[in-house]
Amino acid sequence: MSVKVVIHIGPPKTGTSAIQYCLQHDRQRLAENGIYYPKHTTDVNGISSGNLNSIYDVTASLGRSINKGKVDKLINLCEKLSMHTLLLSSEFFFENMKEVSCAFPNAIFIAYIRNPLDSFESLYNQSVKRHHKVDPIKNLPKLPKFYLTKLEAILDEIGASHFILRAYSKSAFVGGSIIDDFYSILNVTPPLITSKSINPSYSFEALEFKRWINQFCSHSLALKADKILQNFKSDLGPFSLIEPKTYELYKEQAVCFLNKLQSKHCIFGFEGLLDDVHNAKQKLYKNQKLSEEDFNQVANYIDHKAPEVYKSICNALYLSSYRSCYTGTYGQAFIKKYKLSDISDKYMYKTQVINFIKRLLGKTTNAEELPFMLPNSGDISRLRNTLRLGDDVSDVDILRELAFVAEKNHDIGLAYMFMKRAQKLRPNGPLINKKIKLYERKIDSANTEKQILK
């Protein structure tokens, strides 16, 4: 029996999460129709990397690499179960098409084509949500085409005959939705219930708040905030971050690029996609700055939904008291509810207990459990090499001295940050802990004075 291999590759921001969520929950019915879709995990938001681990391994020396044994096992399993089709889906495959196509030389690849103007904004928003982006969007003279440029190169290299290209456009979707359209490719009736929203967009207020905390929060804390911000509702509605004149310029460029792509490759539903681009009206343009009122609304929402996350963000902010994110309007508004001395010791005690339990269980502790970003060991090593310090001078000694220099120059926030890093390496150091308490009192006192002056 010859097994047909169909691989969905995205690209990103073309409804992949919704497709994978639906396929994962419809595996039994797909199997009844002769299609084997390997099981995979999803996170709390319903998002996953799809079937990445179904064919890839992670090794210390090579990173991710295709496991030929896994590939053969999938094909053999399909034959054993009398499945005529192996269906895989992962955006990671798009980034590694050459090796994936070598592993499955006769595979058919499914890719959706989205308006590159929509992709540009959507990819930016995603970079703020999940990838710690802090810079505002760039209004470039030429619309970045990102994944479509790469897709064009892939089509030329592997051959368009191996691809099914579909328009990502509501007016072009068979059945009116991405799920219905995808199932039409499989020649399977779509499931009755596919309405769960996967990876919905942030509101403008949530996006800007997340961009602000990305400056100083650890990735683990930012992820906790993300799960809360995902549900923050706004009366503002859909928005655009691109200046209106630039938006119109980008529309013209998007039309030109899509026409060029269609002239070389057949895109199912292309006319509907092109009409959508021509008729697109820009959403409400917003300059990337929150009013203090809107900022406080988001902050209060987090405090109401998850006060422990609010306190952790506050603690991380205090540890960045030498930076503008702390001294600015947002930072000063956020710390009003808690003094540093009220939350820092409690958090350190909780972290120490968690780490102690992990050590008892033989597990390693992770710096990402801390709510703030600290200088890493590489920074200290570079400083050590620059100053030609020997091994007899410990990292703790270096960090303490940096803290003393900052303190002498009246930069208590920076001194506090260095001393907290030293405390992480030597939690029971009496001088370190004494200095941290002193710095906390000074920072609290300075904040009290600022509030009185206001």
Side-chain angles (χ1 to χ4, degrees), residues 299-325:
N300 290 335
Y301 178 82
I302 292 177
D303 193 28
H304 174 69
K305 292 292 182 180
E308 71 285 354
V309 173
Y310 186 100
K311 291 176 183 178
S312 292
I313 295 174
C314 196
N315 191 24
L317 185 57
Y318 271 117
L319 285 158
S320 297
S321 60
Y322 58 98
R323 299 170 61 189
S324 59
C325 56

Side-chain angles (χ1 to χ4, degrees), residues 201-208 229 232-234 236-237 239 298:
S201 300
Y202 270 176
S203 67
F204 172 73
E205 296 91 337
L207 185 76
E208 284 303 289
L229 292 170
F232 179 83
K233 306 301 180 186
S234 168
L236 183 64
F239 62 93
V298 182

Side-chain angles (χ1 to χ4, degrees), residues 5 7 68 71 99-109 158 162:
V5 180
I7 302 178
K68 185 65 167 56
V71 172
E99 60 182 4
V100 174
S101 63
C102 287
F104 298 98
N106 298 314
I108 296 297
F109 299 97
I158 296 174
H162 287 275

Side-chain angles (χ1 to χ4, degrees), residues 352-380:
Q352 287 172 355
V353 169
I354 291 172
N355 287 343
F356 175 71
I357 294 172
K358 281 193 169 186
R359 285 194 293 271
L360 287 178
L361 296 174
K363 297 180 179 180
T364 57
T365 57
N366 190 340
E368 280 295 306
E369 290 173 353
L370 295 171
F372 46 86
M373 294 187 290
L374 292 168
N376 57 44
S377 56
D379 297 328
I380 303 301

